[in-house]
Amino acid sequence: MIKENISLKNFNTFNIDVQSRFFAEFCSIEELISLSKTDTFINNKKLIIGGGSNLLFTKDYSGLIIKPSNKEIVHKKETKNSICIKVGAGVVWDDFVNYCVEKEFGGIENLSLIPGNIGASAVQNIGAYGIEAKNIIKNVYAFNIETSEQIIINNKDCKFNYRESVFKNKYENKYIITNVEYILSKNNHIYNLNYGAIKEHLGKLEVNLKNIRNTIISIRKSKLPDPKLIGNAGSFFKNPYISKERLLNLQEKYPNIINYKIDKNTYKIAAGWLIEECGWKGKRYKDAGVYENQALVLINYGNNSGKNIVELSSKITLSVKEKFGISLNSEVKYI
Ligand code: EPU
């Protein structure tokens, strides 16, 4: 069950070819419980991975990598208007979105084609086109690494925020997410078409779940590189938040700065725009590069190590800081 010295090339979307000392998957809670009793589990540091679409490996990993591979999809409570579905952490995110859209369950369609697995949807509070996972997550089922206790954490206690949750903070390395429960609409769907060009792309098509999904897929495909063809991890940086006062100052010099109001005093700035303004879009640095259609995405032309990407990201961060005085934080986790 536990493999040794395996290449991680097929387990991270940057396609970085480093090795993990130990590697294990679990297909059920029973398998996870058995795994947690092994010496390898007890005596090594551990890293949980999903689709590997938010990780940047910079060297071999000397501990145990655990990949949840439980793939159950269970319909739980159902009413006339909504359904609660419990999903295994190992289900590929977009397979679940497709499953819901096929069955006419709404609320998830804007999150089509996001790479990664169900477990990461809760860790990362994935989001796109005006929707975040927190809008549809009801509960998260988690396994305590130290005590083997299984707990259910409700939406509020997950402390979701923009690409943030309790699993990236207080519970990091303490829990393994085994399942996530989502609430979806069965009819009277509330469509969210306000972000960017969705309406425009939909054109004369009927507004329904399938058409929204297909539209989002085509928008994403036009902007984001397919990790199967070229190594990348989607947005490399988070969009930074700044105060209204800072924004007003910046607007004097950069009237076109792309911003979104979060609240009275807080604005989100499009990091892709900042990076493009610094001249990085489409640039190559050694074996790494900035994607030509979306400057927020870093790509890996080689596959030996993440070092060039780390160097490139530092250069980008520095130039954005120098030009705009804004600090970029990476969405991708360095290992
Ligand atoms: N922009 C530029 N230049 C660029 C990229 C973007 O000027 O190189 C401008 C766009 O023209 C647009 C604005 O910045 O006016 C926002 O761009 P976009 O709609 O592409 O979204 P984003 O803010 O760059 C975020 C998410 C994406 C998600 C999209 C759509 C983050 C870190 N990224 O990107 O998520 O797909 O919105 O909702 O929040 C991911 O996390 O991996 C990811 C792809």
Side-chain angles (χ1 to χ4, degrees):
M1 175 190 208
I2 299 176
K3 295 177 185 155
E4 294 194 38
N5 302 319
I6 77 143
S7 165
L8 295 174
K9 189 168 186 308
N10 295 329
F11 295 103
N12 72 96
T13 59
F14 270 123
N15 304 328
I16 287 167
D17 195 5
V18 289
Q19 288 211 332
S20 179
R21 178 69 189 90
F22 300 105
F23 184 92
E25 295 184 61
F26 66 86
C27 297
S28 63
I29 305 297
E30 293 69 35
E31 281 188 19
L32 174 58
I33 294 170
S34 317
L35 176 66
S36 71
K37 291 180 181 152
T38 61
D39 289 345
T40 311
F41 185 98
I42 294 163
N43 297 328
N44 284 281
K45 65 172 178 177
K46 291 166 272 294
L47 172 71
I48 322 299
I49 63 167
S53 54
N54 245 315
L55 298 174
L56 177 60
F57 287 104
T58 57
K59 52 180 181 299
D60 287 342
Y61 186 72
S62 58
L64 166 67
I65 288 188
I66 301 168
K67 184 171 161 62
S69 296
N70 54 323
K71 296 200 161 100
E72 61 278 2
I73 296 182
V74 180
H75 289 199
K76 295 195 70 188
K77 198 166 181 268
E78 200 166 342
T79 66
K80 195 166 135 264
N81 297 321
S82 71
I83 180 161
C84 173
I85 309 182
K86 183 178 172 185
V87 190
V91 171
V92 171
W93 173 260
D94 194 55
D95 290 351
F96 180 58
V97 178
N98 188 44
Y99 173 93
C100 293
V101 169
E102 287 292 320
K103 292 209 156 9
E104 280 291 315
F105 301 147
I108 198 170
E109 58 285 352
N110 286 31
L111 302 179
S112 289
L113 211 64
I114 293 184
N117 293 357
I118 289 291
S121 72
V123 177
Q124 191 67 7
N125 181 26
I126 57 173
Y129 306 103
I131 295 284
E132 287 180 301
K134 72 171 185 186
N135 303 129
I136 50 171
I137 289 177
K138 180 164 190 264
N139 289 311
V140 175
Y141 292 63
F143 178 91
N144 187 310
I145 289 175
E146 285 289 313
T147 65
S148 298
E149 184 197 7
Q150 293 175 55
I151 60 166
I152 301 176
I153 305 157
N154 66 30
N155 181 302
K156 187 168 154 279
D157 292 341
C158 290
K159 302 202 185 322
F160 290 125
N161 224 318
Y162 170 57
R163 298 294 194 273
E164 283 293 341
S165 75
V166 73
F167 306 104
K168 287 176 89 173
N169 295 290
K170 199 171 90 185
Y171 288 173
E172 189 175 22
N173 300 327
K174 292 201 170 57
Y175 285 96
I176 297 174
I177 293 176
T178 58
N179 295 85
V180 181
E181 234 170 50
Y182 304 90
I183 288 271
L184 298 157
S185 56
K186 281 172 52 185
N187 45 51
N188 300 326
H189 305 303
I190 298 169
Y191 301 114
N192 194 324
L193 307 177
N194 291 329
Y195 191 99
I198 303 183
K199 266 194 203 130
E200 202 180 293
H201 275 81
L202 265 172
K204 292 202 172 72
L205 289 177
E206 186 194 333
V207 178
N208 61 32
L209 301 180
K210 270 201 187 108
N211 285 341
I212 296 175
R213 172 167 166 78
N214 290 337
T215 299
I216 302 263
I217 288 176
S218 77
I219 298 175
R220 286 187 75 96
K221 280 191 171 160
S222 70
K223 280 194 184 179
L224 302 167
D226 180 350
K228 287 194 193 98
L229 305 176
I230 184 150
N232 78 91
S235 304
F236 192 90
F237 300 100
K238 291 195 230 180
N239 287 324
Y241 283 27
I242 62 170
S243 69
K244 185 175 182 181
E245 196 189 342
R246 286 278 298 288
L247 176 64
L248 292 174
N249 280 337
L250 282 165
Q251 276 173 330
E252 284 175 21
K253 199 164 171 199
Y254 306 103
N256 299 332
I257 188 166
I258 296 176
N259 64 88
Y260 310 91
K261 187 172 180 180
I262 298 295
D263 61 39
K264 204 165 82 213
N265 195 36
T266 317
Y267 285 75
K268 182 159 90 173
I269 306 298
W273 185 87
L274 297 173
I275 297 168
E276 184 173 350
E277 285 292 300
C278 290
W280 285 106
K281 198 170 186 172
K283 284 272 161 66
R284 183 166 175 154
Y285 169 82
K286 297 184 187 169
D287 260 352
V290 180
Y291 191 53
E292 58 192 354
N293 296 335
Q294 162 58 290
L296 206 45
V297 177
L298 301 192
I299 49 187
N300 186 21
Y301 292 107
N303 58 22
N304 293 329
S305 108
K307 281 205 193 82
N308 294 337
I309 295 167
V310 175
E311 284 172 24
L312 174 59
S313 75
S314 306
K315 284 175 182 293
I316 292 172
T317 310
L318 190 68
S319 59
V320 168
K321 181 81 184 166
E322 276 173 4
K323 189 169 168 120
F324 297 103
I326 294 179
S327 304
L328 290 183
N329 290 317
S330 70
E331 187 182 319
V332 169
K333 183 171 164 179
Y334 292 25
I335 308 292

